[in-house]
Amino acid sequence: MKRLLVLLAAGALVFGGVACSDDDPENAGQTTEDQNEGIYADDSPAATSQAGGDFDVNIVDFGYEPKELTVAAGEEVVWENTGEAPHTVTFKEGGIDSGNLESGEGFSQQFDAAGTTEYFCSVHGEERMSGMVVVQ
C-alpha cells in the first residue's frame, strides 16, 4: 500500500509539481522525492552547507544522504544513523572511524583544511556505501 502511495505521489510531483508528505511528523514538509533520496548511496545528490552553519548527513539503510556535500573550512559535519542497520563513517585516509553507529547514534568531525575527504561504511563496503566531503 505504501509503495502505491509513493508511486501516486511521485506521479503528482512529475505532472503537477505538488509537494507531498506522508502522515509521519518527521517527514512533514518533505516531498516524496526528499523522503526517498539516498536509499542507496548513488541516489543522493550533492549538497552545500549554509554559510557558517553545521551540516548533517543522514545515514540511511545502504546510503549517506547527501552522498556528497561541500562545506567551508572550519565547519563541522554531523552524521546520524537514521536507518535500522548499524553503519560506520570510516575515512579512506587519516585513520578516522566512527565505530559502529546503531540506529539513532551519531558522529561528528570538524573540517579545518581545504580538500576532499572520502568515506565509507566498513559494515557494508565501499562499493555499496560511500560518501564525500569537499572543504573549500
Side-chain angles (χ1 to χ4, degrees), residues 55-69:
F55 201 95
D56 294 328
V57 176
N58 288 318
I59 305 172
V60 296
D61 290 324
F62 312 115
Y64 297 99
E65 196 175 277
K67 179 178 178 167
E68 179 181 327
L69 64 118

Side-chain angles (χ1 to χ4, degrees), residues 66-91:
K67 179 178 178 167
E68 179 181 327
L69 64 118
T70 302
V71 299
E75 288 188 314
E76 181 178 61
V77 175
V78 179
W79 288 264
E80 182 181 356
N81 184 358
T82 60
E84 295 297 318
H87 298 287
T88 71
V89 177
T90 305
F91 290 16

Side-chain angles (χ1 to χ4, degrees), residues 19 21 99 110:
S21 67
Q110 184 169 337

Side-chain angles (χ1 to χ4, degrees), residues 5-87:
L5 291 173
V6 169
L7 290 173
L8 290 172
L13 282 171
V14 170
F15 294 108
V18 176
C20 303
S21 67
D22 62 16
D23 292 334
D24 184 353
E26 212 172 286
N27 294 326
Q30 292 182 334
T31 64
T32 301
E33 183 177 317
D34 291 338
Q35 293 171 21
N36 291 329
E37 279 180 2
I39 291 173
Y40 297 98
D42 293 339
D43 291 341
S44 61
T48 303
S49 69
Q50 301 296 323
D54 294 337
F55 201 95
D56 294 328
V57 176
N58 288 318
I59 305 172
V60 296
D61 290 324
F62 312 115
Y64 297 99
E65 196 175 277
K67 179 178 178 167
E68 179 181 327
L69 64 118
T70 302
V71 299
E75 288 188 314
E76 181 178 61
V77 175
V78 179
W79 288 264
E80 182 181 356
N81 184 358
T82 60
E84 295 297 318
H87 298 287

